[in-house]
Amino acid sequence: AGIGITIAVAQLHIVLGGSPSSSVVDNLRALPAQLAHPQVAALAMSALTLSVLLAWPRIPGRVGQILRTVPGALVAVAAATTTAALASLTLPKVDLPSWRSHALAGLPEGPVLGIAAAVLTTTLVCSVQSLLGAVAVDKLTARRPAQQGRSDLDRELLGQGAANIVSGTLGGLPVAGVAVRSSANVHAGAVSRNSTMLHGVWITVAALLMVPLLELIPLAALASLVMAVGIQMVSLHHIRTVTRHREVLVYVVTTLGVVVLGVLEGVVLGIAMAVGVALHRLTRTRITRSVGPDGVHHVRVRGQLTFLAVPRLSRALHLVPPGAEAVIELDGSFMDHAAYESLHDWQSAHTNRGGSV
């Protein structure tokens, strides 16, 4: 959600005909002035792109079914580019660098500690962003019958590391998996890693053979497309889920941290808040065990049952003799997955040994 908001706010400036800065806070401060003086041509191309993007999946009948084999995003950008060219509109367009002036990278200069810190920071940011993107895509595609399993995160990092070595050697930018293009890929119907590799092939073909055509595309059309994908990354269903599970504080802190400070800092803040919330819940958790007159073992949990309380819960459960009758009483409004798994595994093992729970 934090990445989506960051993307959407930055692209909104281009949609209105301006230029965004690298800081989300600065972009928000400059937004009122940008809204007061929009560039009409850029706004018109953005509106056209969004209209086509929203209308394309809703074309009825067999005609619509055939047309939808072409991704709506591609049609929307093509429509805006054609309109801008025919109307001879003066507005910022894609400006690709020239291959003629490219120079290979040299060895870095400066203090060793400074270079090491730069390398480590780039590694952490790219790794965190790539893994977050992979997990987000897994969630988007989890319910598809044709999905080929979850992402291999080790392979993700190995591929990213190899790509960064090659990119750095050629003088390119750092490489990372990003959620915005992955989300667009999923919405276009992607079901396997072949779609990602094909994405790389298309970029290579476009960069080598289609530069004159790409430089006709209005930046406002691309910005509106990317802004729509960024907005879709803020899931209302997910917000309702974390609110119901009393995790909304972690969600808000992580989102604001990513928006204001950056991806790495936001994730670290989110983890710190999650640990703080779990510790707060743990301080109110009491686990007791007793044996009734009828020989039934009672294990009572009062308060929130999180992963931090699992060791105490396991000790209490293992004191119940094999084959005994046990009653587990949970008196709390929250139980996380680690606690559930521990309880479920013990229940299965205890009943398999002749006991009852």
Side-chain angles (χ1 to χ4, degrees):
I3 294 171
I5 292 171
T6 302
I7 290 168
V9 171
Q11 300 307 308
L12 183 56
H13 280 272
I14 304 176
V15 165
L16 296 170
S19 299
S21 66
S22 59
S23 167
V24 183
V25 177
D26 291 341
N27 285 332
L28 288 172
R29 285 175 182 162
L31 200 54
Q34 189 69 61
L35 287 168
H37 304 285
Q39 187 178 347
V40 177
L43 198 56
M45 290 303 98
S46 300
L48 175 61
T49 305
L50 288 174
S51 300
V52 174
L53 189 66
L54 294 173
W56 194 253
R58 294 172 172 80
I59 299 175
R62 184 168 178 78
V63 174
Q65 189 176 359
I66 295 171
L67 290 176
R68 279 192 292 275
T69 56
V70 181
L74 185 62
V75 177
V77 172
T81 303
T82 304
T83 304
L86 292 175
S88 301
L89 296 178
T90 304
L91 71 172
K93 294 184 173 67
V94 171
D95 183 20
L96 295 175
S98 171
W99 288 93
R100 298 183 186 89
S101 60
H102 185 74
L104 294 177
L107 291 174
E109 298 178 1
V112 175
L113 288 178
I115 295 171
V119 171
L120 182 62
T121 303
T122 304
T123 302
L124 287 174
V125 171
C126 290
S127 300
V128 168
Q129 185 149 332
S130 294
L131 296 183
L132 285 175
V135 171
V137 170
D138 283 342
K139 289 182 178 179
L140 287 173
T141 59
R143 296 178 183 177
R144 289 186 174 181
Q147 182 61 20
Q148 298 182 0
R150 300 180 69 83
S151 301
D152 185 340
L153 301 184
D154 287 335
R155 177 180 287 187
E156 182 81 19
L157 290 183
L158 284 169
Q160 180 194 299
N164 271 313
I165 291 171
V166 175
S167 179
T169 305
L170 297 175
L173 293 171
V175 174
V178 290
V180 61
R181 280 179 292 166
S182 301
S183 300
N185 210 10
V186 171
H187 291 312
V191 294
S192 73
R193 67 168 65 98
N194 293 335
S195 59
T196 304
M197 291 186 282
L198 190 60
H199 168 254
V201 171
W202 282 123
I203 285 184
T204 305
V205 171
L208 292 174
L209 304 176
M210 300 171 62
V211 172
L213 187 61
L214 293 177
E215 289 186 334
L216 295 175
I217 299 175
L219 284 180
L222 291 181
S224 59
L225 179 65
V226 176
M227 184 180 71
V229 176
I231 291 171
Q232 290 170 359
M233 291 167 66
V234 185
S235 168
L236 293 178
H237 171 72
H238 191 200
I239 293 172
R240 284 194 293 267
T241 301
V242 297
T243 303
R244 189 167 65 249
H245 292 168
R246 298 173 64 197
E247 300 285 345
V248 70
L249 190 60
V250 179
Y251 184 93
V252 169
V253 168
T254 307
T255 303
L256 290 177
V258 171
V259 168
V260 176
L261 301 174
V263 174
L264 188 62
E265 295 86 347
V267 171
V268 170
L269 279 176
I271 292 172
M273 179 55 66
V275 172
V277 169
L279 286 170
H280 176 71
R281 288 169 175 160
L282 182 61
T283 57
R284 298 184 159 190
T285 303
R286 292 183 60 217
I287 301 174
T288 58
R289 188 187 67 89
S290 61
V291 183
D294 51 359
V296 177
H297 291 254
H298 291 264
V299 177
R300 296 180 177 87
V301 179
R302 299 287 183 269
Q304 316 308 321
L305 191 56
T306 68
F307 68 96
L308 294 171
V310 166
R312 285 192 290 151
L313 176 65
S314 298
R315 282 196 295 270
L317 293 175
H318 283 299
L319 291 174
V320 178
E325 185 180 349
V327 175
I328 315 299
E329 296 181 18
L330 304 178
D331 180 14
S333 59
F334 178 84
M335 176 169 61
D336 70 4
H337 189 69
Y340 167 78
E341 272 198 339
S342 177
L343 197 58
H344 183 72
D345 292 345
W346 175 84
Q347 179 187 11
S348 300
H350 189 70
T351 52
N352 287 338
R353 293 171 186 161
S356 64
V357 182

